[in-house]
C-alpha cells in the first residue's frame, strides 16, 4: 500500500510593527493582528490587507511578499503547518486562483472589523477581513467546518488550529522568512495623487457596503 502524498499549507499569524497593527492588538487584546495563507513554504502569502504601505484604506485581496514583514525587523509570527492530500491542496489553490482572477472586485471588510467586537461577522460576498479569508479558504478545502454566524477573529482561528494539533513554529519574521522578490505585491507602488487615492478608497467602500 502506497503512502498518501501530501503538501503543506501554512497558516501564519503576524504581529506587525505598524500603527494599525498595534491598534488592532490593543483593541482585540490578542498577540497577533494579521493572518495569511501560504502554499509555497512561506515564500509568498495570500491575504486581505492594505495594498499600499501609505494607504491603509485601500485594501483587498493581495499576494504578499515576505518583504512586507522584513522591513522593520520587529515583526513576530506564528506559523501552523497543515499537511493536506494532493486533492485538498488543489481545491485550496483553485479557490484562491479563482478569487485572484477578479481580485479588483474584492475589498477589505471594515464593517466586519466593527461587528467583531460584538461577536458577529458581517457577511458580504466580495468583502473579507484577513482572517475571514483564511478560514473560508480552509473551509473550501474541507480542512475546517463552516460557521456562518459567529465572529471570525485571529484569536479564535489560532485557538482552532492549535486544538487540531498542527505543527506550530514561532519567532521573528527574520528567523523564518527569506527576502524573495516583491513579485505581484504592490506594497511600495505609487497609487497616484490624493484624488486618485480618494477615488479608489471610495470605490472600495461602496463595493463593501453594496455587497
Amino acid at each position: 500500500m502506497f503512502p498518501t502524498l501530501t503538501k503543506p499549507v501554512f497558516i501564519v499569524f503576524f504581529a506587525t510593527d505598524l500603527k494599525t497593527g498595534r491598534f488592532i492588538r490593543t483593541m482585540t487584546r490578542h498577540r497577533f493582528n494579521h493572518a495569511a495563507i501560504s502554499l509555497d513554504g512561506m515564500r509568498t502569502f495570500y491575504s486581505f490587507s492594505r495594498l499600499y504601505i501609505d494607504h491603509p484604506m485601500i485594501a483587498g485581496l493581495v499576494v504578499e511578499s515576505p518583504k512586507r514583514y522584513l522591513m522593520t525587523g520587529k515583526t513576530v509570527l506564528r506559523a501552523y503547518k497543515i499537511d493536506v492530500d494532493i486533492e485538498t491542496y488543489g481545491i485550496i489553490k483553485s479557490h484562491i486562483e479563482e478569487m485572484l482572477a477578479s481580485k479588483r472586485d474584492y475589498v477589505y471588510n471594515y464593517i466586519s472589523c466593527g461587528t467583531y467586537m460584538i461577536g458577529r461577522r458581517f457577511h458580504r460576498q466580495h468583502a473579507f477581513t484577513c482572517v475571514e479569508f483564511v478560514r473560508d479558504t480552509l473551509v473550501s478545502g474541507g480542512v475546517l467546518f463552516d460557521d456562518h454566524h459567529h465572529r471570525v477573529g485571529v484569536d479564535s482561528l489560532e485557538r482552532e488550529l492549535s486544538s487540531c494539533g498542527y505543527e506550530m513554529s514561532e519567532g521573528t519574521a527574520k528567523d523564518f522568512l527569506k527576502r524573495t522578490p516583491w513579485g505581484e505585491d504592490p506594497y511600495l507602488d505609487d497609487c497616484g495623487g490624493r484624488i486618485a487615492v480618494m477615488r479608489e478608497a471610495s470605490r472600495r467602500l461602496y463595493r463593501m457596503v453594496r455587497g
Side-chain angles (χ1 to χ4, degrees):
M1 186 174 180
F2 295 102
T4 302
L5 296 177
T6 63
K7 296 194 72 171
V9 173
F10 287 89
I11 307 302
V12 187
F13 300 96
F14 296 92
T16 59
D17 190 41
L18 295 174
K19 290 181 180 179
T20 51
R22 293 193 293 269
F23 174 76
I24 292 171
R25 293 196 298 274
T26 298
M27 294 299 294
T28 62
R29 298 181 181 179
H30 191 62
R31 186 180 178 190
F32 302 100
N33 61 275
H34 183 58
I37 185 169
S38 177
L39 304 180
D40 61 0
M42 296 195 287
R43 289 188 291 273
T44 56
F45 300 95
Y46 303 101
S47 190
F48 272 68
S49 182
R50 66 173 73 191
L51 274 65
Y52 310 102
I53 187 172
D54 294 326
H55 304 289
M57 293 304 294
I58 301 180
L61 177 60
V62 63
V63 182
E64 297 178 332
S65 167
K67 285 189 175 182
R68 285 190 178 220
Y69 306 108
L70 293 168
M71 291 181 69
T72 66
K74 297 181 180 180
T75 297
V76 175
L77 65 83
R78 177 178 291 170
Y80 287 87
K81 180 184 177 185
I82 304 174
D83 289 316
V84 299
D85 58 45
I86 300 300
E87 180 180 0
T88 299
Y89 181 90
I91 292 172
I92 290 173
K93 190 172 186 291
S94 296
H95 175 83
I96 295 173
E97 289 176 344
E98 287 174 7
M99 294 180 69
L100 286 172
S102 54
K103 65 180 178 181
R104 180 174 165 79
D105 294 334
Y106 287 92
V107 297
Y108 194 87
N109 194 344
Y110 287 102
I111 298 178
S112 208
C113 290
T115 58
Y116 170 85
M117 302 307 294
I118 59 174
R120 304 297 294 179
R121 176 178 177 179
F122 187 83
H123 284 276
R124 281 295 184 266
Q125 184 178 1
H126 291 91
F128 298 84
T129 64
C130 60
V131 70
E132 289 170 352
F133 162 72
V134 169
R135 194 183 191 284
D136 284 7
T137 299
L138 293 178
V139 168
S140 75
V143 177
L144 297 178
F145 294 107
D146 202 356
D147 187 348
H148 285 295
H149 303 293
H150 295 91
R151 71 181 185 179
V152 180
V154 170
D155 55 345
S156 59
L157 180 58
E158 199 275 328
R159 287 196 302 268
E160 192 172 8
L161 296 178
S162 179
S163 67
C164 292
Y166 295 122
E167 179 183 336
M168 187 271 285
S169 302
E170 184 176 320
T172 67
K174 187 176 181 180
D175 294 332
F176 285 92
L177 305 183
K178 297 180 179 179
R179 291 188 176 277
T180 59
W182 281 102
E184 299 179 45
D185 194 337
Y187 200 52
L188 298 184
D189 290 356
D190 182 1
C191 62
R194 184 176 300 178
I195 293 177
V197 170
M198 291 179 62
R199 184 183 295 119
E200 181 61 18
S202 298
R203 183 190 73 81
R204 289 175 178 272
L205 178 63
Y206 174 75
R207 181 82 188 190
M208 176 188 61
V209 173
R210 187 185 69 176

